[in-house]
Amino acid sequence: MDKKNFFVTLAAAALFAVPVSSQTIDVKGDAEPFTHYWSVGVGAGRANEGLRAGWLEHLKLVKDYCGFQYVRMHGLFGDDMFVYFKKPDGRVVYNWQYIDEVYDRMLALGVKPFVELSFFPKDIAAKDSKQQMWYQNNVSVDRNNFDKWHNLVKEFTQHVVDRYGIDEVLTWYFEVWNEPNLNLNPKAGFFDGTKSDYFRMYKESVKAIKSIDKRLKVGGPATSNFIADNRHDGEIMDHKKSVFYSQDIINTKQWKGVWIEDFLRFCEKENLPVDFISTHPYPTDYALDPDTGRSKDAIRYVHSLHDDITWLRQQIASSKYPDAEVHLTEWSTSPNSRDRMHDVLPPAAYILKTNLDCLGMANSLMYWTFTDVFEEKGGGEEIFHGGFGMINFQGLVKPSFHAYRMLHQLGDEKLYYKDPLFVSRSSRTGKISAVAFNYPSEYEEAVPSAANFNNYMQASSKKVDIALKGLKPGAAFEIEILDKDHGNVYDDYLKIGAPHSPGYKEIDYLRQAAWNTDKQIIKVNSEGTFVWKSELAPWSCVLIREL
């Protein structure tokens, strides 16, 4: 039986026995404090895109509604930021104007930079450097220029301390590079160098930053992705060692973070500080066929993030750096900026379930990205093209945006969690908020992606039956539902004929439709109990909050 028919058959069988979540919860009971690690940070494309009005408008939107505290982006030192000028007499002039403009506007919105130190200015990169992505960043190492890299990082750090003050910059994070394990063999990657080259670059970076103030936070190795083979054992990635696991065994393998163990050993040997470990645990594998240079679908199960963080924490605990923070600086349903699944409903339920399943395990889990003002492959040829963003280019919010908006409205004390219901309380106001979601069992073995885009609604529903007792009689709760027909803007786009270039009126209609979640008010009964029963359609997400 092929994958498509498997899902259809399983969904049909499941509809005869819909799972029920029935629970009575005392809202005055004991609770477990938790932090909103999902809103610590979020990703963006490259620093230069932060100079655009649309990018800044979208950033304000996610700050206001989702609460993101940091933004991480590529290309801070790229040639389009005009940072590095080498004069004929050999002098170097550093120009911070473009970086200042981006950072000034971010900070004015209440968002801090999670600094990614990348890529090489052309005068630091190797001669005839290889370039990557549409904006042609330089990625080739010149081993004779590590001193120039050190000086660049040091001067940059000193500049931001001078401009924003040490107290502010002590709250920032400095991450060395992006995905250096993805070299250019045989397909383009983010680093044309060896594992040892990256370790040397980390050494120069951390020494440069700590020379300004030892309290500044530095980390790495910012690698992608988790793997279950030995393609990264050597100095460069060897795709001939890639293993393509079939769907029936992919989740039985031990997946490990790339370079993490070697990185920790190197830093211990060199006596280098590691304030945080960063990596990118997408639920997919990027193994390439060495003959064709093309990837094959390799999609892991919904619990892969929990497995990956567990493994990562074990490595950190047994290292010289047991107190290092864990920042997962990129994460989404897939690392493909042309994956149609990014535009539709399933990622919302995946975001809720996965973040709640991994509560307390990491310091941050950063969604990649907040906006479709993003050009690694150039601009999208349609307004919905599978872009990473939770907001499209025209400012239309996607279901993923609503998922983070719902998470942001939770309290900071956990009263109850069992899929599909999470109940919280605010320590400040005492008010109750909860989310419910239907991540269908049919997709537990393979996270939804473009590979199953057309069939994603062929899945089972879930019944939720909850009672919250201990409330004030007559108090009001708002029930807000995100489902296929409410707040799922891509379907509204299809309903108007999927115009290639929508006009003003069409964009206005879509903007309203994107926010059009279903809302209703329910009062607490005379006994002080809030009761809600519902059958959640596949991928539906619900916010329940006390008004």
Side-chain angles (χ1 to χ4, degrees):
M1 182 181 297
D2 62 28
K3 190 174 184 179
K4 176 180 178 181
N5 290 331
F6 170 79
F7 283 138
V8 172
T9 303
L10 193 57
L15 289 172
F16 290 99
V18 178
V20 180
S21 176
S22 179
Q23 187 67 32
T24 299
I25 300 159
D26 183 354
V27 301
K28 303 297 185 183
D30 294 336
E32 178 184 344
F34 69 94
T35 59
H36 287 206
Y37 77 113
W38 46 73
S39 61
V40 170
V42 70
R46 76 186 198 274
N48 187 271
E49 290 157 358
L51 298 169
R52 299 184 187 177
W55 190 97
L56 291 166
E57 290 169 2
H58 300 173
L59 181 60
K60 185 179 189 306
L61 202 59
V62 297
K63 173 61 179 178
D64 291 346
Y65 286 92
C66 307
F68 293 117
Q69 302 167 45
Y70 293 84
V71 167
R72 172 186 179 267
M73 49 198 165
H74 304 327
L76 190 70
F77 300 147
D79 288 338
D80 59 359
M81 294 299 284
F82 305 102
V83 166
Y84 194 93
F85 290 85
K86 185 178 180 181
K87 298 297 184 180
D89 62 2
R91 289 182 303 113
V92 172
V93 175
Y94 300 102
N95 169 40
W96 310 116
Q97 295 179 80
Y98 284 55
I99 293 177
D100 291 348
E101 176 75 4
V102 176
Y103 282 4
D104 288 357
R105 292 184 180 273
M106 286 173 54
L107 291 165
L109 294 173
V111 182
K112 301 174 184 288
F114 196 104
V115 180
E116 176 197 302
L117 300 171
S118 67
F119 295 103
F120 295 123
K122 66 179 183 300
D123 289 324
I124 291 181
K127 186 178 180 181
D128 299 322
S129 173
K130 294 179 181 177
Q131 297 176 319
Q132 170 60 305
M133 297 184 286
W134 172 81
Y135 47 92
Q136 298 293 288
N137 54 279
N138 302 300
V139 298
S140 296
V141 174
D142 185 336
R143 296 187 181 104
N144 295 317
N145 283 346
F146 280 120
D147 60 331
K148 295 179 182 178
W149 174 261
H150 174 102
N151 293 339
L152 170 62
V153 172
K154 182 177 180 178
E155 292 294 329
F156 163 73
T157 307
Q158 185 64 65
H159 171 73
V160 294
V161 168
D162 291 343
R163 186 175 184 85
Y164 304 110
I166 188 60
D167 290 342
E168 168 63 32
V169 181
L170 284 173
T171 67
W172 299 8
Y173 292 84
F174 294 80
E175 182 184 37
V176 182
W177 213 259
N178 174 70
E179 299 183 354
N181 59 301
L182 298 185
N183 57 43
L184 288 94
N185 178 34
K187 192 176 180 181
F190 290 100
F191 191 65
D192 182 27
T194 65
K195 184 190 302 184
S196 294
D197 289 332
Y198 173 76
F199 290 171
R200 171 71 185 279
M201 186 165 64
Y202 180 84
K203 179 178 179 178
E204 297 298 334
S205 302
V206 73
K207 285 188 171 184
I209 294 166
K210 297 287 187 176
S211 72
I212 304 303
D213 194 306
K214 292 182 179 180
R215 297 172 295 171
L216 292 167
K217 296 186 284 285
V218 190
T223 45
S224 181
N225 199 2
F226 278 65
I227 59 172
D229 55 38
N230 61 354
R231 79 190 77 147
H232 285 292
D233 284 359
E235 282 290 319
I236 62 171
M237 177 169 51
D238 184 355
H239 278 297
K240 293 181 179 179
K241 296 181 179 178
S242 295
V243 178
F244 298 99
Y245 294 108
S246 60
Q247 199 61 52
D248 59 332
I249 65 169
I250 191 171
N251 296 316
T252 67
K253 300 299 179 180
Q254 173 63 66
W255 294 74
K256 297 181 178 182
V258 174
W259 290 8
I260 303 294
E261 296 160 286
D262 290 345
F263 175 73
L264 290 167
R265 283 193 294 265
F266 171 82
C267 291
E268 179 175 357
K269 179 183 177 182
E270 296 289 327
N271 197 29
L272 300 174
V274 178
D275 297 304
F276 64 92
I277 291 291
S278 63
T279 191
H280 303 162
Y282 290 99
T284 57
D285 189 16
Y286 58 83
L288 301 180
D289 186 321
D291 295 324
T292 66
R294 298 181 62 185
S295 62
K296 296 184 179 181
D297 288 331
I299 308 170
R300 298 171 65 194
Y301 69 165
V302 72
H303 307 293
S304 65
L305 179 63
H306 190 281
D307 292 350
D308 293 346
I309 303 177
T310 299
W311 178 89
L312 182 58
R313 283 211 165 274
Q314 290 171 347
Q315 309 314 308
I316 295 172
S318 61
S319 74
K320 182 186 175 182
Y321 310 95
D323 298 324
E325 295 182 16
V326 174
H327 290 280
L328 308 171
T329 51
E330 283 188 28
W331 173 80
S332 180
T333 51
S334 82
N336 178 1
S337 63
R338 296 297 184 268
D339 186 335
R340 290 285 188 179
M341 193 57 68
H342 291 140
D343 294 329
V344 292
L345 186 61
Y350 176 70
I351 287 165
L352 293 186
K353 175 174 174 55
T354 310
N355 273 281
L356 294 171
D357 282 353
C358 299
L359 193 65
M361 297 182 70
N363 297 90
S364 73
L365 177 62
M366 301 188 188
Y367 190 76
W368 188 256
T369 60
F370 77 84
T371 177
D372 277 352
V373 180
F374 181 97
E375 297 173 343
E376 285 190 358
K377 293 183 178 179
E381 61 185 88
E382 301 170 302
I383 73 166
F384 291 107
H385 54 272
F388 287 124
M390 59 181 76
I391 305 174
N392 90 331
F393 191 89
Q394 288 74 22
L396 307 177
V397 297
K398 304 180 190 179
S400 53
F401 171 88
H402 290 301
Y404 278 99
R405 182 175 57 79
M406 291 179 174
L407 285 171
H408 184 51
Q409 295 185 71
L410 291 175
D412 57 356
E413 296 177 338
K414 182 179 74 173
L415 287 166
Y416 174 84
Y417 177 49
K418 184 178 180 181
D419 183 331
L421 177 66
F422 184 96
V423 182
S424 73
R425 181 176 64 205
S426 168
S427 62
R428 183 176 60 86
T429 67
K431 289 190 174 183
I432 303 303
S433 54
V435 292
F437 55 89
N438 179 2
Y439 185 96
S441 59
E442 294 88 343
Y443 284 81
E444 288 191 358
E445 293 301 305
V447 169
S449 75
N452 44 35
F453 177 84
N454 293 322
N455 304 311
Y456 68 86
M457 289 305 297
Q458 297 179 354
S460 56
S461 59
K462 289 184 180 180
K463 287 184 177 179
V464 179
D465 181 356
I466 64 172
L468 305 177
K469 67 178 185 177
L471 294 160
K472 180 181 178 180
F477 276 77
E478 181 183 73
I479 311 296
E480 180 182 0
I481 301 173
L482 167 71
D483 59 20
K484 193 172 190 298
D485 299 319
H486 301 92
N488 181 30
V489 67
Y490 183 78
D491 276 25
D492 292 294
Y493 173 65
L494 296 180
K495 288 175 186 176
I496 64 171
H500 188 268
S501 300
Y504 292 124
K505 290 183 179 180
E506 291 169 316
I507 290 295
D508 285 343
Y509 164 78
L510 292 173
R511 184 172 290 111
Q512 294 179 46
W515 285 92
N516 189 30
T517 53
D518 184 41
K519 295 179 181 178
Q520 56 183 291
I521 302 294
I522 297 179
K523 295 289 186 69
V524 175
N525 66 23
S526 60
E527 297 177 348
T529 301
F530 166 84
V531 177
W532 185 65
K533 299 180 182 181
S534 181
E535 184 169 333
L536 302 182
W539 311 110
S540 298
C541 301
V542 182
L543 173 66
I544 305 166
R545 67 184 183 95
E546 186 177 2
L547 298 177

